[in-house]
Amino acid sequence: MVRGRGLSERLRRLAFAGAVAVSLTLILAPLVLVVWLSFFRNEILSLPPEGYSLRWYGALAEQHQFVTGFQLSALVALAATAAGLLVTLPAAFALTRGELPGRAAILHALMSPLIVPALVVGAGLYLALIEFEVETGLPVTGTVFGFAAGHVLLTIPWSLRLLTANLAGVDPSIEDAALSLGATPLVTALKVTLPLIWPGVVAAALFSFVVSFGNIEVSLFLVQPGQTTLPIAVLQYLEWKVDPTVAAVSALQIALVAAALLITDRFVSLAKAV
Amino acid sequence: MAALHLSNISKKFAEVLAVDDLSLDVADGEFVVLLGPSGCGKTTTLRMIAGFIEASAGAVRIGARDVTHDPPYRRNVGFVFQNYALFPHLTVAENVAFGLRRRRRPEREIAERVARALALVKLEGFETRMPRQLSGGQQQRVAIARALVIAPDVLLLDEPLSNLDAKLRRDVRAELRRLQQLSGITTVMVTHDQDEAMSIGDRLVVMNHGRVQQIGTPQALYRHPANRFVAGFIGRGNFLAGAPGADGRSFVTRGGLAIICARIDLGADTLLIRPENIAVHPGRASGVNCFAAVIEAAVFQGSAFDLDLRLATGETLEAQVAAGNAAADWTVGQQVTAMIDPDAAVGIVSSSSLPA
Ligand SMILES: Nc1ncnc2c1ncn2[C@@H]1O[C@H](COP(=O)(O)OP(=O)(O)OP(=O)(O)O)[C@@H](O)[C@H]1O
Ligand SMILES: [Mg+2]
């Protein structure tokens, strides 16, 4: 009987390990494949490769649209991340700490960009910005401001989820302790609560950046002729040619995100925040 | 330091009346303990004093200040939480310094006062530790130092000992009493442990269902409980149902025993006799309040015997008698006489509440 139990236990462990392995493979295989492809020497993608080379990385620098696309994407992502945190930090405090009427409704409304297809968000935003331009005469479509205004909608749900979850995890009596020691609510938020949820804030910033940087659906509506973000540049390139250049772009993007994750993880434990 | 006055305060959460018309005056330097079963409104009362929640009705005064509508950060009240609630991202010294920094004290004064507070709770040398590197008892002491260092007008403690093991709890209890007397700070502590309350409080406030049942010294509550609830909550007791006798001196139980007693409250329907106020003699004896009984259970407790006695009327009494030598041991089935001390039996009303 004991042996029987041991056997079924071992089978269960084996099944679990198998499931983990399959999941990890599904997640990692595309990444590995992209990085691998980017080193192929042959121009037409085929397996097995004819040899390896770094020529596609060298070619990138000459592809003007990738360089300017990268610059615009990074700038927009930074602006959207900053703006998103400015909105979601106070919102998360109000939603978790205040006695806000209709909290659940507000939370759902702020999460809605996750449900609405990004293309619809992009189209709606485009119409709204055009209307805004007509009314005020200020050019916004195609500016970093216009892009950021659109992308911030995409970053808000992620950021808000992370921040509210982290805030809910803070023991309220710790904040009460600060209040009883003479700290005003603002000082309590800055000196006590914020340091405690800092990993969550960093995680929210990272998620926001990645979501904005990789977005294509909303950006497609906002670009002006001659303008491009990195994902749009990749899409356009793919319309003409399928060679390892795009794989090289993607590999660089993967390296960038991985580096960002590794560096921040040294300072704050992201595993705790997400 | 100042006196604390609660005047008819109530707190209503949605439908629950957590605290119902509570009045309490705590003298300057007094140590008062709020005692009662879980959910009776002790924490809610303490939080209203601290200002974490506002009273739905009534007034809270500290000294001459009416603080009823003041936020906690303007009340100058020290609070020690059940789970200590130390700031996990700050060192021990910075935890203690927190309140002084909010008061913008000069750096030198902060250093001095933090050092003195840590010395007071015997935590010298722990300044640079983080809270997670401390034992429960040490965290507790940091929490007390942090609350005391700001020289609060009132110190509030919510079950500060409940997370400590039994041995440590006794030590910290004595320590807490010492610190309180040393600093002379007006203190209100919450507990649901009656031993703890009796051993530490100048006065106790017994609560039930949000209402004060009785306020008084431990002796007064033990000897003259206002009602059955207080009598049952503070110490053990025998409760015999019945009514006052015609002679005005005795209480007649439902079984028909007439027991002479020291005090009979108006409308008394229950007689309280503490187990230690029943003397037990082997065999037959006669005298005031002597009743024949049979031992139904005898439990040896070391220094004493707990005896369950069945009287001729069928009523039962729990008695606690000092254990003598082995020759004087009690056995089940033994015929004995129970002698109830007339000075210690009190007729009480089972349901009245008399805030005194
Ligand atoms: N924030 C709140 N919202 C609604 N009801 C509450 C709230 N806080 C307390 N209550 C209710 O008020 C009553 C008193 O609660 P309180 O915490 O004061 O009890 P307590 O005497 O401290 O109990 P314990 O010994 O278990 O800590 C309880 O019925 C509780 O459910
Ligand atoms: Mg409580």
Side-chain angles (χ1 to χ4, degrees):
Chain A
M1 206 198 124
V2 173
R3 268 191 55 196
R5 178 131 35 73
L7 191 66
S8 76
E9 172 71 27
R10 228 174 304 156
L11 271 178
R12 221 178 304 152
R13 288 231 184 116
L14 213 63
F16 180 70
V20 169
V22 169
S23 309
L24 275 181
T25 310
L26 281 176
I27 294 170
L28 290 179
L31 300 183
V32 174
L33 193 65
V34 161
V35 176
W36 188 33
L37 286 177
S38 71
F39 293 109
F40 282 16
R41 190 170 54 215
N42 36 324
E43 199 161 320
I44 310 295
L45 290 172
S46 66
L47 286 171
E50 290 162 11
Y52 294 99
S53 103
L54 285 174
R55 60 187 277 214
W56 307 113
Y57 288 90
L60 273 185
E62 286 147 36
Q63 304 278 357
H64 188 61
Q65 75 275 28
F66 288 137
V67 179
T68 56
F70 175 85
Q71 284 167 348
L72 182 61
S73 285
L75 210 59
V76 167
L78 279 178
T81 300
L85 282 178
L86 280 179
V87 174
T88 49
L89 257 178
F93 267 95
L95 284 167
T96 51
R97 294 295 185 270
E99 280 153 30
L100 218 56
R103 287 183 28 184
I106 296 173
L107 192 60
H108 285 137
L110 288 169
M111 301 300 287
S112 63
L114 276 187
I115 312 162
V116 180
L119 273 174
V120 176
V121 173
L125 211 78
Y126 177 67
L127 294 176
L129 288 184
I130 293 290
E131 198 62 30
F132 182 79
E133 276 184 358
V134 170
E135 290 293 321
T136 62
L138 297 169
V140 279
T141 49
T143 64
V144 171
F145 172 80
F147 276 109
H151 283 201
V152 86
L153 291 178
L154 306 170
T155 69
I156 281 174
W158 296 99
S159 184
L160 198 66
R161 251 295 130 88
L162 276 166
L163 293 177
T164 50
N166 274 268
L167 275 173
V170 175
D171 177 359
S173 59
I174 292 178
E175 291 172 340
D176 282 343
L179 291 174
S180 76
L181 290 167
T184 61
L186 182 65
V187 171
T188 302
L190 293 177
K191 295 258 175 194
V192 176
T193 316
L194 206 53
L196 293 181
I197 62 161
W198 192 242
V201 176
V202 172
L206 273 177
F207 267 81
S208 298
F209 187 90
V210 171
V211 164
S212 165
F213 193 85
N215 176 271
I216 189 159
E217 298 96 325
V218 171
S219 301
L220 272 176
F221 284 95
L222 302 179
V223 281
Q224 299 258 293
Q227 209 180 21
T228 184
T229 67
L230 188 59
I232 293 178
V234 171
L235 184 70
Q236 283 169 345
Y237 188 87
L238 281 173
E239 280 170 10
W240 297 102
K241 254 192 201 165
V242 179
D243 67 21
T245 310
V246 280
V249 173
S250 306
L252 281 181
Q253 202 172 327
I254 292 168
L256 191 78
V257 172
L261 282 174
L262 286 176
I263 291 168
T264 45
D265 199 52
R266 281 195 62 109
F267 297 103
V268 294
S269 168
L270 291 177
K272 264 197 241 163
V274 289
Chain B
M1 262 149 275
L4 169 71
H5 308 279
L6 309 179
S7 316
N8 308 97
I9 58 170
S10 297
K11 182 67 200 181
K12 201 166 180 180
F13 294 113
E15 306 100 66
V16 193
L17 194 54
V19 174
D20 185 4
D21 197 32
L22 179 144
S23 293
L24 171 67
D25 291 304
V26 185
D28 191 1
E30 193 181 16
F31 198 136
V32 164
V33 178
L34 300 185
L35 182 65
S38 187
C40 73
K42 306 179 296 287
T43 297
T44 305
T45 304
L46 221 54
R47 292 174 64 81
M48 280 193 281
I49 303 173
F52 301 142
I53 50 179
E54 214 177 298
S56 316
V60 178
R61 278 181 300 129
I62 297 174
R65 289 186 294 145
D66 184 336
V67 298
T68 314
H69 305 292
D70 282 356
Y73 49 93
R74 282 205 217 102
R75 293 198 183 192
N76 199 36
V77 159
F79 204 107
V80 175
F81 296 82
Q82 185 170 2
N83 61 357
Y84 319 136
L86 298 181
F87 305 124
H89 60 300
L90 299 179
T91 62
V92 165
E94 278 308 310
N95 262 277
V96 177
F98 190 88
L100 298 173
R101 294 207 186 285
R102 303 288 80 74
R103 284 163 175 73
R104 304 191 184 288
R105 306 311 307 163
E107 205 56 43
R108 268 200 37 203
E109 181 188 330
I110 293 179
E112 269 169 35
R113 285 172 70 173
V114 167
R116 235 184 307 142
L118 286 177
L120 196 67
V121 296
K122 309 206 173 90
L123 279 179
E124 299 108 323
F126 286 77
E127 288 80 1
T128 56
R129 293 261 198 115
M130 298 306 280
R132 61 171 176 280
Q133 301 170 316
L134 300 178
S135 74
Q138 290 164 341
Q139 291 185 30
Q140 172 68 282
R141 272 140 62 198
V142 175
I144 293 171
R146 183 178 70 174
L148 281 177
V149 78
I150 60 170
D153 289 318
V154 177
L155 178 64
L156 305 173
L157 306 132
D158 192 0
E159 307 208 23
L161 311 179
S162 61
N163 283 339
L164 306 176
D165 67 52
K167 160 94 178 70
L168 198 57
R169 192 187 284 213
R170 285 181 160 280
D171 295 349
V172 179
R173 186 203 285 178
E175 188 64 17
L176 204 57
R177 186 66 178 144
R178 182 185 70 89
L179 286 176
Q180 195 269 339
Q181 282 170 341
L182 211 65
S183 56
I185 221 160
T186 310
T187 303
V188 180
M189 182 175 110
V190 159
T191 180
H192 53 237
D193 179 333
Q194 50 128 339
D195 285 335
E196 196 171 292
M198 301 253 272
S199 64
I200 206 170
D202 294 321
R203 280 192 304 151
L204 314 186
V205 178
V206 180
M207 297 178 66
N208 195 24
H209 297 308
R211 295 193 64 94
V212 169
Q213 302 296 310
Q214 194 175 5
I215 301 178
T217 62
Q219 295 88 326
L221 296 202
Y222 191 79
R223 296 190 186 132
H224 301 291
N227 58 37
R228 163 90 193 246
F229 178 81
V230 176
F233 204 77
I234 309 253
R236 290 191 299 152
N238 295 289
F239 299 98
L240 299 177
D247 60 2
R249 295 171 53 229
S250 62
F251 186 93
V252 182
T253 68
R254 212 172 271 164
L257 296 178
I259 301 172
I260 310 278
C261 50
R263 195 190 101 202
I264 302 179
D265 290 342
L266 195 68
D269 54 11
T270 303
L271 186 69
L272 163 68
I273 309 157
R274 300 286 183 194
E276 69 274 18
N277 294 326
I278 300 175
V280 180
H281 290 287
R284 291 272 168 264
S286 58
V288 177
N289 287 352
C290 283
F291 305 100
V294 179
I295 295 180
E296 290 216 309
V299 179
F300 180 59
Q301 301 282 17
S303 61
F305 264 102
D306 281 343
L307 303 178
D308 287 353
L309 308 174
R310 180 168 294 275
L311 302 173
T313 58
E315 285 158 314
T316 56
L317 288 176
E318 227 182 278
Q320 188 176 55
V321 296
N325 53 28
D329 278 352
W330 303 96
T331 53
V332 174
Q334 195 178 346
Q335 299 283 335
V336 295
T337 302
M339 282 176 51
I340 298 167
D341 180 355
D343 290 333
V346 285
I348 59 175
V349 186
S350 56
S351 65
S352 88
S353 70
L354 297 174

